Amino acid sequence: MRIKLMLLLLSLIVSCKNKTEVKLENVSENRLVKHVDEKMPDLEIYDFNGLEKFLNNTDNKVYVVNFWATWCAPCVKELPYFEKLREEYSKDELEVLLVSLDFPHLYDTKLKPFIREHQLKSKVVALDDVDMNTWIPKVDTTWSGSIPATIIYKKGNRKFYEQSFDFDTLKGEVEQFLN
Amino acid sequence: MKTTIKIIAAFCFILFVSAFTITKSTLGDGYKIGDIADDFKLENIDGNMVSLSDYKEAKGFIVTFTCNTCPYAVMYEDRIIALDKKYAPNGYPVIAIMPNNVEVQPGDRMEAMKERANTKGFTFPYLIDAEQTVFPKYGATRTPHIFVLQKTEKGNVVKYIGTIDDNYKDAAAVKTKYVEEAVDALLKGKDIKEKETKAIGCSIKV
C-alpha cells in the first residue's frame, strides 16, 4: 500500500512538472490574486439524450463510466482509482468518463475548481437533466439512484455497479472485460 | 512555488482518501409495493420515542428518509414541510427518519438534527435510525427517499416508493408531484398511477 502511494505521489509530481504554464485569461480586477494565474477547465454539459452516445460506443475499447458529484464523499474518495485505471491502460484499450451530477448553479464555483485542483485527467462531462425518473432506468433498470454508480462496458457486454470501489476490485472488474 | 503547493495538496488528498476504509451498500432488498411495513421505535429530536402505532387517527404515513447533509435532501426540505402541512390534516403525516451513520457523517448528529429542524421549522417528527436497522428493512438507499404507507387492518401497506417530484432544481417547474398524486389517489380510493419512481440522491452512509 505504501509503495503504491509513493508511486502515485511520484506520478503526480512528474505530471506537475510536465504541466505547461497556463495563460492569463479573463482576469477581473477584484478576483483574488491566487486565482488569476489558473484557467478554469472547459466543461461539456449534456442532457440525457446528449449523454447517451457515451454509454453506447461500439468500438473495441472498454469504457468505464462513473457517475459522481463533488458533494458525494464516497465518490470523491474513489476518483483516484478511476484516474489510476486510466493511467494503467492504453487509450486503445480503455477509456474513463466521469459524469458529474453536480448542481448546475455550482459548475463554475465548485465543479470546475475541483477538476482543476485535483488535476483530473479523465474526461469529465456534466449531466444536467431534472427528469431523473425517466433517465435513471435507461442507464440501468436496477439503479435506485444513489451515487457513486459505475458502468463498465465493451461493445454489447455491460455491467452496472451501484457501489463504491477500491482500486483492486475496480481493476478486477475491468480485467474481465479485457479478456 | 505553485508546483510545491500542488504536490502538498495532492499528497494531503491521497492521505485523506486513504484514511477511510471502503463501504459497500446493500441493495436489492427491502420493501416492494404491497408489502406490510414493520413498525419501529425511534428517537425523535424532542427526546421522545416515536412509533407509527402512536398515530391512532392516521390513515397512513409519508415516511421520508432524509438528512441534514445531503444537498438533494436540503433542496427538498421546504417541499417535505409542505407535504406535511397539506396531508397531516388529511391523515397522512410526514415521518422523517435520518438514516446515516453519524460517525461517518457528523453533520447528521442528533444535535445537528435538532438545529436544522428548528431553523427550518419542521412540523413533523425527525427521527434518528441510530442502530441503522430501519432503513435496510425499508430498502432505502438514498436521501431523500419516500415511502408512502396506507394503514389497513393487515398493517401499514407500502403503496409508493420513490422521489417527491420530477424537478429537484425548481419546485415551480415541477410537472408531476409523485408523492402528492400517490396520497391523493389513496385518499380518493383510486389506483396510484406511478407507484415507483427513481431519483439521484446521496447514498446512505453506513
Side-chain angles (χ1 to χ4, degrees), chain A residues 15 37 51 62 85 93 106 118-121 133 145 152-153 156 173:
Chain A
S15 63
D37 60 344
L51 184 82
V62 175
L85 205 61
E93 279 181 307
L106 297 176
H118 294 279
Q119 304 192 8
L120 298 182
K121 299 281 194 301
N133 188 45
I152 303 176
Y153 76 94
E173 290 296 328

Side-chain angles (χ1 to χ4, degrees), chain A residues 76-159:
Chain A
V76 171
K77 191 173 93 180
E78 67 176 12
L79 277 183
Y81 312 141
F82 289 94
E83 288 283 272
K84 197 172 166 200
L85 205 61
R86 195 197 61 91
E87 281 170 24
E88 286 207 359
Y89 297 95
S90 80
K91 213 170 159 28
D92 300 328
E93 279 181 307
L94 176 139
E95 271 192 48
V96 173
L97 178 69
L98 304 175
V99 180
S100 162
L101 291 163
D102 276 86
F103 305 113
H105 70 279
L106 297 176
Y107 287 162
D108 287 337
T109 52
K110 271 268 181 71
L111 179 58
K112 289 179 183 178
F114 182 96
I115 294 167
R116 190 186 61 187
E117 277 157 30
H118 294 279
Q119 304 192 8
L120 298 182
K121 299 281 194 301
S122 305
K123 184 180 174 73
V124 180
V125 300
L127 173 58
D128 177 16
D129 196 326
V130 293
D131 192 7
M132 296 166 170
N133 188 45
T134 302
W135 65 256
I136 288 173
K138 288 183 186 171
V139 174
D140 193 273
T141 51
T142 66
W143 189 9
S144 83
S146 76
I147 55 172
T150 301
I151 299 170
I152 303 176
Y153 76 94
K154 182 179 177 182
K155 292 185 172 173
N157 196 4
R158 177 181 297 255
K159 254 176 117 173

Side-chain angles (χ1 to χ4, degrees), chain A residues 9 12-13 16 25 38 43-45 51-52 56 66 71 73 98 111-112 122 132 138 148 157 159 164:
Chain A
L9 182 61
L12 277 167
I13 294 168
C16 288
E25 198 172 358
E38 299 228 30
L43 181 68
E44 295 172 26
I45 301 157
L51 184 82
E52 260 187 315
N56 295 294
N66 172 246
W71 49 259
L98 304 175
L111 179 58
K112 289 179 183 178
S122 305
M132 296 166 170
K138 288 183 186 171
N157 196 4
K159 254 176 117 173
S164 296

